[in-house]
Amino acid sequence: MAKKRISLTQYLIEQQRQHGRIPAQLRLLIEVVARACKRISIGVNKGALGDVLGSAETENVQGEMQKKLDIIANEVLIEANEWGGHLAAMASEEMEGIYVVPNRFPQGEYLLLFDPLDGSSNIDVNVSIGTIFSVLKKTGNDEGVSESDFLQPGLQQAVAGYCVYGPQTMLVLTVGNGVAMFTLDREEGSWVLTHDGVQIPADTREFAINMSNLRHWAPPVRRYIDECLAGRDGPRGKDFNMRWIASMVADVHRILTRGGVFMYPWDRREPQKAGKLRLMYEANPMSFIVEQAGGAATNGRQRILELQPTTLHERVSVMLGSKNEVQRLSAYHAEAD
Ligand code: AHM
Ligand code: MG
């Protein structure tokens, strides 16, 4: 007899029945985001045949050149989400201000944030990329919605997830009750639950960091990596392996699958910036997922999920993954202070 398959819809309905975590509006939201990711995945797969590669010759609010796919993915997510009545507003890496649901549509109580296409530098080289998203609930009952409604610590997230467009397209999700992974069945067009209760091993011999920035790091990060590199003869007494895909989604996906630690720390290149990655739609959702899988996430000094955001696009230093390694990094920062 064929193995029983659990679809995303069934998973969400069962989560609601067993834990009361997914009211209908939230389920709609997750399903709509998942559908949008399916569309983005089709574009990603077509590549040059779909004329989606290359630069759009425009700059986003972060001063980064946008790729065609950055813009396409952003539009797909907005178009899919604006009419359902589940959202009050959206925010994206590719848009300076928030996108309030137009008043021709009903307004819901959720706020959706996303990095529509993460790992942009990998688009044109056929390496895994992804979409990251985070869901908050609008607090307060004042009319309308503004940027300040979004500025909630990551602990307030109702849902976080990402979709990785790799050899398989997978959706990884937490609704605050562990981490589940769904694989896209292209023939059927459905998301099928393929891993549940994902757990990151507490120890690891693998780290992910852009080593070309070594000379710019702060001493605690330098110390941590130096000790890993010293291998069996060094203070760690074991050899380490390194991986760096330069798509956070793909690096985090590997860590969820077999452990490891991912770092994009502050560095001296642009000292006024806290880091490269963005708190609200990259670090927060990934930290929520990693913690739900038994891992940890810090900026070196504070748990990322407890940080109070002050602006939509603020950046943060990120260290996440296997718990004992993240604790060690925090300890090295505390000692340096
Ligand atoms: P993006 O959102 O513009 O793609 O930038 C974020 C990406 C992360 O996915 C990845 O970890 C990092 O930037 C790679 O940076 P670098 O090219 O410095 O290695
Ligand atoms: Mg990104």
Side-chain angles (χ1 to χ4, degrees):
M1 207 171 86
K3 209 169 144 222
K4 191 173 162 292
R5 304 206 326 171
I6 296 176
S7 66
L8 175 65
T9 306
Q10 185 176 351
Y11 173 84
L12 295 174
I13 287 177
E14 283 171 1
Q15 285 289 318
Q16 171 63 8
R17 278 193 198 137
Q18 288 160 17
H19 309 285
R21 285 189 175 273
I22 330 252
Q25 270 207 358
L26 195 53
R27 175 155 65 86
L28 177 63
L29 193 167
I30 297 169
E31 298 216 52
V32 170
V33 171
R35 199 178 315 135
C37 289
K38 229 187 277 180
R39 255 185 90 186
I40 297 169
S41 147
I42 291 167
V44 168
N45 273 229
K46 288 219 161 86
L49 301 177
D51 192 24
V52 299
L53 303 184
S55 169
E57 305 297 340
T58 48
E59 246 184 33
N60 69 9
V61 55
Q62 343 264 342
E64 299 159 344
M65 284 308 285
Q66 291 176 302
K67 296 284 176 95
K68 284 185 196 165
L69 256 182
D70 288 321
I71 295 175
I72 294 168
N74 194 58
E75 281 168 2
V76 167
L77 280 157
I78 289 178
E79 219 181 275
N81 277 287
E82 66 178 354
W83 52 270
H86 50 284
L87 284 183
M90 293 177 249
S92 160
E93 178 176 325
E94 304 304 333
M95 301 187 294
E96 182 159 10
I98 64 168
Y99 180 92
V100 178
V101 167
N103 46 27
R104 61 180 184 279
F105 302 120
Q107 285 228 347
E109 53 184 351
Y110 290 101
L111 306 169
L112 174 65
L113 297 101
F114 44 82
D115 176 356
L117 212 293
D118 179 63
S120 305
S121 72
N122 281 325
I123 293 174
D124 295 342
V125 292
N126 198 1
V127 169
S128 295
I129 48 181
T131 297
I132 309 173
F133 64 96
S134 161
V135 180
L136 294 164
K137 199 166 180 181
K138 193 170 160 276
T139 55
N141 7 338
D142 46 320
E143 282 284 297
V145 55
S146 68
E147 188 174 315
S148 62
D149 290 305
F150 283 82
L151 304 180
Q152 305 179 33
L155 274 176
Q156 303 292 336
Q157 291 171 104
V159 173
Y162 66 80
C163 181
V164 56
Y165 312 111
Q168 300 107 47
T169 293
M170 291 181 73
L171 181 74
V172 176
L173 194 69
T174 183
V175 297
N177 180 35
V179 176
M181 295 182 171
F182 302 83
T183 304
L184 180 61
D185 181 326
R186 285 188 188 278
E187 283 75 45
E188 229 175 63
S190 59
W191 295 103
V192 182
L193 181 69
T194 42
H195 306 80
D196 201 2
V198 174
Q199 280 292 319
I200 301 175
D203 291 297
T204 180
R205 290 164 178 256
E206 200 159 70
F207 65 87
I209 193 166
N210 184 339
M211 286 294 288
S212 68
N213 298 323
L214 178 140
R215 68 191 185 286
H216 304 296
W217 297 331
V221 175
R222 184 76 190 249
R223 172 182 171 193
Y224 177 83
I225 296 296
D226 282 346
E227 290 181 1
C228 292
L229 297 178
R232 199 182 305 175
D233 304 327
R236 301 299 306 272
K238 58 181 182 180
D239 291 333
F240 279 77
N241 184 30
M242 194 204 84
R243 287 286 183 275
W244 183 251
I245 302 174
S247 290
M248 190 192 199
V249 272
D251 280 310
V252 169
H253 193 72
R254 183 189 58 255
I255 287 170
L256 285 169
T257 309
R258 69 174 189 211
V261 59
F262 168 92
M263 284 167 273
Y264 213 119
W266 170 90
D267 68 51
R268 248 174 236 106
R269 283 173 300 168
E270 291 180 282
Q272 74 290 355
K273 289 185 182 160
K276 175 182 181 183
L277 300 177
R278 277 55 52 117
L279 174 62
M280 298 216 61
Y281 41 80
E282 292 179 322
N284 270 345
M286 290 311 203
S287 300
F288 188 22
I289 293 168
V290 164
E291 283 200 7
Q292 284 291 316
T298 178
N299 67 357
R301 297 185 167 85
Q302 269 174 290
R303 183 180 173 202
I304 287 180
L305 292 181
E306 288 176 1
L307 297 172
Q308 172 61 54
T310 52
T311 59
L312 204 52
H313 298 289
E314 89 181 59
R315 293 170 191 260
V316 65
S317 168
V318 177
M319 298 160 213
L320 55 77
S322 291
K323 202 171 201 159
N324 292 340
E325 297 301 309
V326 176
Q327 271 168 5
R328 180 180 286 269
L329 276 156
S330 299
Y332 288 4
H333 280 80
E335 280 175 40
D337 292 344

